[in-house]
Amino acid sequence: HSVGVLFFFNAVVAAPFLLLDPQWVQLSGIAWLRIGIGGSLTALGAGLIFLVVTRSSASASAVGQSLSPAVVLVIAPLILGTSVSLGQILVVLVLVMAVLLPLRNSLAGVSTFSTFFLIGSIATTTGAVTTLIALQIHAGMALVQVVFIQQLIAAALFLILFFPKHFTVKNYLSLFPRSIFMGAGWVLTSYAISHGSPVVVQSIIS
């Protein structure tokens, strides 16, 4: 029930960055579709991470995110029309093997197939969100505009499905510090994507 609140706070934290990037563009139908998919995948990814955390640990949930460069490596050339170097492919392959093999049984109480499925789903949603952000920025959207709207969409989905019940002011205040880092992280990640390769950016983050 706290995830939707966190996404909303992420958008609040991103809002001041609009002063640095105030030129918003009018969104076309396809732009709204892309950002809607991006926001939905952001929410789905958070839900999958929460599922993994409830089954195992926070560190286990990071496995899927660590594998996301492999997803970006595959879909970025298809969606963005970019090229990847042999060095990037080798680095991503090493990263995938180093993370996946030792930790394939890290999720307590689930089968190996379920482990790979959950990890793969988190990797897919994380990598897809990164690629969609790059696509929207390359299409002319302001990077803070992308982050702000995407976080609001994710927040709305979670608040509709899992409205925070019995939350106190203290609960909200305890969540806001985390959103300071998360909101700023989204903006800085989008800035990096707009100035470099999504594969490189996602690899560094992972």
Side-chain angles (χ1 to χ4, degrees):
H1 292 89
S2 64
V3 178
V5 178
L6 285 170
F7 277 128
F8 177 77
F9 282 160
N10 289 350
V12 171
V13 171
F17 288 92
L18 297 174
L19 299 176
L20 303 177
D21 192 16
Q23 296 182 349
W24 282 34
V25 297
Q26 185 174 359
L27 301 183
S28 63
I30 189 65
W32 275 113
L33 177 61
R34 290 169 180 167
I35 203 167
I37 294 173
S40 300
L41 288 176
T42 300
L44 177 60
L48 291 171
I49 291 172
F50 180 78
L51 176 62
V52 173
V53 170
T54 59
R55 289 173 177 263
S56 181
S57 65
S59 59
S61 70
V63 175
Q65 298 175 80
S66 298
L67 299 179
S68 59
V71 177
V72 179
L73 185 69
V74 173
I75 65 177
L78 299 175
I79 296 179
L80 303 177
T82 58
S83 60
V84 294
S85 66
L86 178 60
Q88 290 175 335
I89 295 175
L90 292 176
V91 169
V92 170
L93 288 176
V94 170
L95 178 65
V96 169
M97 298 303 294
V99 173
L100 187 58
L101 293 180
L103 297 177
R104 63 185 183 276
N105 294 319
S106 62
L107 303 182
V110 296
S111 66
T112 300
F113 174 80
S114 298
T115 301
F116 276 94
F117 179 77
L118 287 172
I119 289 174
S121 298
I122 293 174
T124 300
T125 54
T126 304
V129 167
T130 297
T131 307
L132 283 171
I133 290 175
L135 179 63
Q136 292 163 146
I137 292 175
H138 292 167
M141 288 185 64
L143 66 92
V144 182
Q145 181 182 15
V146 175
V147 173
F148 184 76
I149 298 177
Q150 194 164 280
Q151 294 296 302
L152 284 180
I153 291 174
L157 289 174
F158 262 97
L159 290 174
I160 291 172
L161 296 175
F162 309 101
F163 189 79
K165 300 177 181 179
H166 311 299
F167 260 47
T168 65
V169 174
K170 183 179 179 180
N171 295 138
Y172 288 109
L173 292 178
S174 66
L175 293 174
F176 191 74
R178 180 186 183 279
S179 288
I180 293 176
F181 293 100
M182 291 300 297
W186 276 104
V187 172
L188 294 174
T189 299
S190 299
Y191 182 83
I193 292 171
S194 68
H195 288 75
S197 166
V199 176
V200 175
V201 172
Q202 195 63 43
S203 297
I204 294 173
I205 291 174
S206 69

